[in-house]
Each structure stands twice: as C-alpha cells, then as structure tokens.
Amino acid sequence: MHVNGDKVGESQRSLFILSPGDRDGLSEVAQRIGWRTIAARRAKDAPQRYLHSEAQIALVDLRGGGDVSILLARVVPPLEAGGGAILVLVDAEHLRHVPALLAAGATHFLAGPVTESSLRAALMSAHRLVERLGGGVTHNQRAQRIRRGDALYWALGPDGMLRLSESLAQHLGLDRLRIGPSALVRRLPRVERRNVLTALKAMRRAGRPAVLAHAIPGRPGQRLVHHLRQVDGAIAADVEWLSDGQAQDGGSRDYLTGLRSRQAAMDWLERRTGLPTTILLLSISQFDRMNAAYGQVVGDALLGRIARRVERMVDDVAPGTMVARIAGTEFLVGLTGEVAGSDRATFLARQLIGAVGQPFSAGDHLIRLIARCGIAQARAEDDATALLRRAGTALSDARQAGGEGIRILSAEKHSRQVDADRLETDLRLALDRGEISIVFQPQYPVSSDRISGVEALARWNHPHYGPLGAGILFATAERSDYMLPLSAHIQGEALRQAAAWPGALSDLRLSINVTAADIAQPGFMPNLLNLVDRSGFPRSRLTVEITESGLIEDVDAAAALLTALRAEGLGVAIDDFGTGYSSLAYLKNLPLDYLKIDSGLAQDIAGTARDRIIVRGVIHMAKSLGLRVIAEGVETEEQLDLLTREGCDYYQGFLRSAGVSSADLINLVLAR
C-alpha cells in the first residue's frame, strides 16, 4: 500500500486505487496532480482498505482484461453506501463494455493511456459527483450542496443549434441560450478551438462518449471540462469545473443550503436602497434542541430540506424573488416591485410557516418544526443594515406574541397581526369573476423531446396578490370547504379546452386531478364520465390522477372504483406518491396504469445515497407491478439522468417546461 509521504493539507483529497498491475504507476500520477493515494493490488481486502482510507473516490483498474466480478464488484457496495464515486480504467478497444460497467456500479470511466491531464479531469468530475451526493471531507461538505439553476450543460439539437443552460451561457459570456456551434467555439481561446472542433467531429462520427476541456474567456487558470455523450442520435454534454480553485459563485452561496449567502443578500438590499422593498425574516424555533436530539449531521441536512421548501413556496407565490440563508436558522426573502406590498408579504409568510410546519422524515422519526416570521417594509432612508434590523424587531415581536407567528413593521413603524380570512372570502368570488384559469404542464418520455401528454393545473389570478399556484389554491379551498365547486370547474374547463385542440395534438394524453372530496360524492363516476363525454374529449386519452391520501383510507373501495374507471376506458394514476402513507405494499391491490412520484421524492434522487435507495425502491416496485412511472418536479439534468437510469418512463418539471396556456401548448407542439 502506498501513501503520499508529504504532509497532507486539509484541502488535499484522498483516492483509493485498486490495480493488480499498475498500482505504483497510478499512485505516482495521482500524487503529482495533488491527490493522496491509498493503493492496493489485491481485491480480497479492498473493501476494508477502502473503508479505512477516508477516501470517497475509488479508481479501479480494469485494463488488460481485469476481472469485473472480482475487482469492481468488491468496491461497489461500500462506495454506494457512502455516496462515493467509482472511476474505472478501461482499454480503448473495450469501450463497448462501458455501459455494462456503469450498470454494475461504476460512475465514471477513463479509456486509453492515463495522463496527468486526463486523470485530473476524470477525478475532478468524480469529486463533483461526491459533493452533489452529500459527501466531502470537511464539515462544510457534510450536507448536500443543492444549487438550483447552477447546472452546466448543453445539447446539440437536430436543427444543428446548441441549447445551453442559463448558467453555462453566463460563464461563457453569451446573451442567448440557443446558438450555433460556431458561436460557442468563437468564445474559446483561439489556441484551443481546433482541439474542441476535433473532439466534436470525432464524437459525431464515432458516437462514443468523449471529453474535452478548455479555458474560460477572461478567467486565466480556470477551465471547464465537457463530458460528451450521444442521446437519440444527438450530442449532449454535462459540463463541470476542471479548475480545483473554482467554486462558481461560491462566495455568494451558502455552503449548506445552496441559497444565497448573507453577504449576497446584503449586497442585494444595498442595490435596492430607495426602492419599494419588503423583506421577510423567517426563523425556525428551538432548532438547537432538534440538533441535540438527532445530531448536527441530521440538522445540517434538515436545513437543506427546509431551504428547498422555502424555495418552492416562494417560486409558487413570487417567482424570481431573492431567497437567502443569513444566519443559523434564519432565512431572508426579499420582495420588490408589485409583490412588495404588505398583503402579499404576509400571505407569503403564512404559506412559508405552513410549509415549515409540515413534518420532515428522518429514518423512523417524524420531525416537526415551528417557524416565526418578521416582515419589514423599507423606508426611503433605510440602508441594508437598517432594514434588516427592523425585520429583526418584527421577528422578535412575532416570537413573543404567539398566535400564527407573523408580525409586520411597516414603513410607519406599526406592528400588526395578519388577517387570515381574506383569501378564503375571496375564493368564493373567484369563479364568478373568472379568476381561476387552466395551464397544461407538458410531460415527456425520458428518452425523447416529444411531448407525450400534459397535466391540467389550476392558477388563481388574484386581483390583489397576483398569480397564485395550485398548492395555495387548493389549500385555501380545503380550509373554506369550497373544494367540490373548484374541482368541478377545473375538470370541466380542462376537458373543454383539450377537446378544442387541433389534429397535431391528437396523440397527447390529458391528465386531470380528482380529489378525495370528489371520490366521496354519490354518483362520482357516472358524473365524471358524463362530463368527459359532453366535452367531446376521447376517454382513451384521459388519465384520472388521484392523490394517495384520497385512496388509502379504504383500499377495497378504491380498488373497485379504479377498476370501474379503467373498464370505461380511462387511465388511472396515483398522484404525488411519496407525500402521504407511502406504503408500497398496498399498490398491489390497486389496478393502476401510472404512478406519479412526488416532486420532493423525485428531487431526492440527486441527494444522499440513502435518498437514492428510497427513490430506486419506489420505481422498481412500480415497474415490477407493470406500472409506468412519471416523475414530477424534475428541475436539473442530473435528476433526469438518475431517474432515467433507475427506470423512470416519463417526467415533467421546470427542466423542460412550466405550465403553459392551451394556445402556448399548441405552439410548442407545432414548433417541433
């Protein structure tokens, strides 16, 4: 066994090497590029050596006909359990075996002669994966680093145009997300253009995975590496930082949650000085006791999950809003422009407190948290510090006052309690005023860009609060006992609009949501079938989505209902699976066509190794029962790739499209 004899700094990373024939050579190359190596020749004791090495990446040498069943299989279990990465070395003539190696547990591969530059690129890619899966060797890497919107990738479409992620376009200094390949090449240093073009041409000609790297315009010493692959005959690439010191916008990001940092929030507030601004200061109560009970690792991970709930709720109520973690368990939400009014802010505060109050699962335990919120409206003379101090005063009032835990410090310094009834009253008038509209969220096969179906969703265009999402709408309807009229309106309007689609959309499936209150009504099924037939929309293209909470109370009755619906030609799906009872066993008693994985569960696929195991179990159980699986809320290419690998059939989410109007849906389909 070899280790680097020099003193290992805190930033130096550990690499476990298993190579029967080139242990010393690989160790020397890895050490020259800054890795501490723990190397072995024999596979027999490799798992034990790996576990004692503190490494999170294993390099397995399969060149020269290495035995996969002995070398790779020995290190896969401990690596998967710990959220690590496995880089396999293969001979260039054995690239055809790479898919099987990846299926066996490898996460990265490197073909041909091993050079410093090729090994550095491969190891940095593996290290980025480890970071995303919640690993790392320092405290700051203990929890998952989730950075929504920071994904770097591009895809070359059949029209010969490149589609870039927003973050990649920003780093390359491009003002468009759809460009020709020549425009991308022109952004690269002149000396590197030929190599990039050669790699692209070779990839297109041979169809094999490839890697290319280049410098960043105007950033000396910083490089990006592109991992090229072929998808449905087209070239796509996941892009990662090759430069070890590059942390993207790390200084403006909170290391634990991926939200904006305190400094980024203060800079944002300074830029808003003198402009209409309202900030919410959200605090989680008695979090230190939770840490004492479950440990700081669980606490760190829980803060990340709180951040995701806050982000999703803010996106639903006020898209594009500043969200930051400014200290410990305090989060800041900044509202500007039309959404900066006190009514909109207090409404959002109520939703955030409710979202945090929903239980979090931690193994066999449910963790319940309480949040309080202070709101401050900016005055003309407020700078960032003064505004934040005033929000802190309002938060202190909220902690002491009890009730629903919200206080406002208005521009006139008055602190008042929020009226919780206005929204429920307004909903009674919303249908008559035509404020409830329908949007359709496209669904895609995981292996194609062709829209295969849509889910009908509701939006409330509130005259005071602006556009509100379905989650808020249905929560209000449930509180005000107005669910049945609202549900009937949404179902009827979705069917009416879908029936008017042109022939180009004649193969799209439509999914409509049915609530537990709907199912409980006498005559539910004949009334629903009559509604469908009167609309003129074909039964054969309709899927009824029922949340699992609407089924689980009486599985036998639910099974009879679903059997009857399928006999009448409708498809049936369980919606939001993973949010309620979540017993996989009861699925065997329900006649279903689809299982829809809840967005939170789907996004966990890119979380820790434990998260992936849970999502994998759901998908594999559904597939073993003959169900097609649809993932909701897919937001990143990484999530999609992992879901595809586990056998998911379809997906929907902001990665491809938010909900669109019927007219925009038609244009979207016709454009393809």
Side-chain angles (χ1 to χ4, degrees):
M1 180 173 71
H2 281 252
V3 297
N4 190 345
D6 297 331
K7 184 178 179 180
V8 179
E10 290 183 357
S11 63
Q12 193 170 26
R13 304 183 182 98
S14 297
L15 172 68
F16 177 79
I17 298 174
L18 176 58
S19 174
D22 194 19
R23 180 195 68 177
D24 295 347
L26 291 173
S27 294
E28 290 174 3
V29 175
Q31 289 169 16
R32 285 199 300 269
I33 60 176
W35 288 76
R36 173 180 176 267
T37 62
I38 304 90
R41 286 195 178 98
R42 296 185 304 171
K44 181 178 180 181
D45 54 354
Q48 290 75 23
R49 289 193 177 187
Y50 164 75
L51 290 171
H52 287 91
S53 70
E54 298 184 354
Q56 292 184 292
I57 300 173
L59 188 155
V60 180
D61 187 3
L62 299 178
R63 295 172 300 172
D67 193 330
V68 174
S69 63
I70 295 177
L71 297 174
L72 183 59
R74 293 287 177 89
V75 297
V76 166
L79 263 293
E80 284 190 339
I86 302 177
L87 169 65
V88 292
L89 303 183
V90 297
D91 295 309
E93 60 267 30
H94 292 154
L95 278 172
R96 65 185 183 279
H97 299 313
V98 167
L101 296 176
L102 295 175
T107 60
H108 298 75
F109 73 94
L110 182 59
V114 177
T115 65
E116 288 185 17
S117 60
S118 64
L119 185 59
R120 179 185 290 111
L123 290 177
M124 288 308 300
S125 175
H127 178 69
R128 299 303 183 199
L129 174 64
V130 169
E131 286 189 322
R132 288 196 298 269
L133 298 182
V137 295
T138 67
H139 172 77
N140 290 1
Q141 296 169 325
R142 213 182 286 163
Q144 179 182 346
R145 296 179 65 182
I146 302 173
R147 294 181 174 178
R148 291 180 53 209
D150 288 352
L152 304 177
Y153 63 87
W154 56 260
L156 180 63
D159 58 355
M161 300 294 287
L162 291 173
R163 180 173 64 89
L164 282 67
S165 68
E166 184 175 354
S167 185
L168 179 60
Q170 290 175 353
H171 287 301
L172 295 176
L174 297 166
D175 57 3
R176 290 176 296 152
L177 303 184
R178 187 172 176 272
I179 61 172
S182 59
L184 173 62
V185 173
R186 285 197 298 269
R187 292 298 303 158
L188 307 181
R190 187 177 298 274
V191 296
E192 298 196 87
R193 295 176 185 176
R194 181 180 297 276
N195 292 337
V196 170
L197 288 173
T198 299
L200 287 172
K201 290 177 181 177
M203 172 71 182
R204 172 169 276 178
R205 183 175 59 253
R208 293 196 300 263
V211 177
L212 61 89
H214 61 80
I216 308 299
R219 300 185 187 181
Q222 296 180 7
R223 298 176 66 80
L224 289 175
V225 58
H226 300 239
H227 301 274
L228 284 72
R229 65 187 190 282
Q230 201 160 46
V231 180
D232 295 333
I235 297 176
D238 295 313
V239 185
E240 298 190 88
W241 291 102
L242 179 58
S243 312
D244 187 53
Q246 173 61 38
Q248 299 187 34
D249 58 347
S252 64
R253 290 280 176 177
D254 172 57
Y255 73 87
L256 198 58
T257 64
L259 299 178
R260 309 302 290 187
S261 66
R262 177 186 179 89
Q263 187 56 53
M266 297 300 286
D267 292 344
W268 183 85
L269 290 174
E270 289 291 356
R271 293 194 299 270
R272 296 293 307 172
T273 299
L275 300 175
T277 304
T278 298
I279 64 171
L280 287 71
L281 199 56
L282 185 76
S283 177
I284 314 302
S285 299
Q286 297 183 329
F287 200 82
D288 54 342
R289 295 187 181 180
M290 197 288 304
N291 266 340
Y294 296 96
Q296 188 167 350
V297 173
V298 172
D300 289 349
L302 190 56
L303 284 174
R305 294 173 66 183
I306 293 170
R308 302 287 76 74
R309 288 191 184 181
V310 170
E311 279 187 310
R312 285 196 287 269
M313 186 59 67
V314 170
D315 284 346
D316 203 9
V317 176
T321 296
M322 155 67 74
V323 183
R325 175 177 175 246
I326 61 169
T329 61
E330 291 188 357
F331 299 84
L332 181 144
V333 178
L335 304 175
T336 64
E338 295 181 356
V339 299
S342 62
D343 288 337
R344 185 63 169 264
T346 52
F347 173 76
L348 175 57
R350 187 184 301 118
Q351 301 305 315
L352 290 173
I353 288 174
V356 173
Q358 294 294 316
F360 294 85
S361 62
D364 297 330
H365 302 279
L366 288 179
I367 298 175
R368 300 180 184 275
L369 301 173
I370 297 174
R372 296 286 183 261
C373 189
I375 302 173
Q377 296 175 308
R379 300 175 299 194
E381 67 273 18
D382 279 343
D383 59 11
T385 302
L387 181 57
L388 187 59
R389 186 181 300 117
R390 296 176 63 244
T393 300
L395 177 60
S396 179
D397 288 349
R399 286 169 172 156
Q400 297 175 11
E404 69 174 341
I406 302 173
R407 286 293 184 273
I408 297 177
L409 204 61
S410 67
E412 293 76 30
K413 300 183 181 180
H414 298 306
S415 179
R416 63 178 176 82
Q417 192 165 355
V418 177
D419 179 5
D421 300 324
R422 173 174 179 174
L423 204 64
E424 296 179 26
T425 302
D426 290 346
L427 181 58
R428 302 281 172 173
L429 303 172
L431 292 181
D432 293 336
R433 292 173 175 171
E435 295 171 5
I436 309 298
S437 63
I438 305 296
V439 295
F440 299 92
Q441 184 164 46
Q443 298 170 335
Y444 299 84
V446 295
S447 58
S448 171
D449 289 340
R450 179 184 58 84
I451 300 174
S452 59
V454 294
E455 179 184 2
L457 302 171
R459 291 290 184 268
W460 185 1
N461 301 306
H462 195 281
H464 188 75
Y465 297 124
L468 303 177
I472 296 170
L473 174 60
F474 279 96
T476 304
E478 191 169 8
R479 288 197 306 269
S480 61
D481 197 23
Y482 204 59
M483 187 68 79
L484 288 174
L486 176 64
S487 184
H489 170 79
I490 294 169
Q491 294 163 6
E493 185 62 16
L495 288 163
R496 183 190 68 78
Q497 293 187 30
W501 288 341
L505 280 67
S506 61
D507 61 341
L508 292 192
R509 292 196 65 83
L510 170 68
S511 297
I512 60 173
N513 290 281
V514 172
T515 69
D518 293 327
I519 296 173
Q521 292 302 299
F524 159 72
M525 194 178 82
N527 290 339
L528 176 64
L529 295 174
N530 184 47
L531 181 67
V532 175
D533 294 341
R534 282 191 289 108
S535 74
F537 191 82
R539 292 186 182 183
S540 60
R541 289 167 50 202
L542 183 66
T543 299
V544 174
E545 296 187 3
I546 307 174
T547 59
E548 60 172 300
S549 59
L551 296 170
I552 197 61
E553 291 184 1
D554 191 341
V555 174
D556 292 337
L561 171 64
L562 301 188
T563 299
L565 288 173
R566 296 180 78 207
E568 294 292 342
L570 277 62
V572 177
I574 289 187
D575 191 17
D576 291 338
F577 190 86
T579 60
Y581 185 78
S582 294
S583 170
L584 298 179
Y586 87 86
L587 289 180
K588 66 184 177 66
N589 297 314
L590 298 177
L592 299 166
D593 299 289
Y594 303 91
L595 183 144
K596 295 192 71 177
I597 300 176
D598 173 66
S599 59
L601 195 62
Q603 289 160 12
D604 280 348
I605 191 75
T608 65
R610 187 184 183 92
D611 290 329
R612 293 198 308 278
I613 290 170
I614 293 172
V615 180
R616 180 184 301 152
V618 172
I619 294 175
H620 289 190
M621 176 67 78
K623 301 293 286 186
S624 69
L625 295 172
L627 307 182
R628 282 162 286 181
V629 179
I630 304 173
E632 298 182 289
V634 178
E635 298 174 345
T636 68
E637 291 283 356
E638 179 195 7
Q639 292 166 4
L640 177 58
D641 288 344
L642 292 170
L643 288 164
T644 302
R645 187 182 303 175
E646 296 301 340
C648 192
D649 299 293
Y650 304 93
Y651 73 100
Q652 63 189 72
F654 287 110
L655 174 63
R656 291 303 306 274
S657 177
V660 296
S661 67
S662 186
D664 288 340
L665 175 66
I666 294 171
N667 291 334
L668 193 61
V669 174
L670 293 179
R672 293 200 57 80

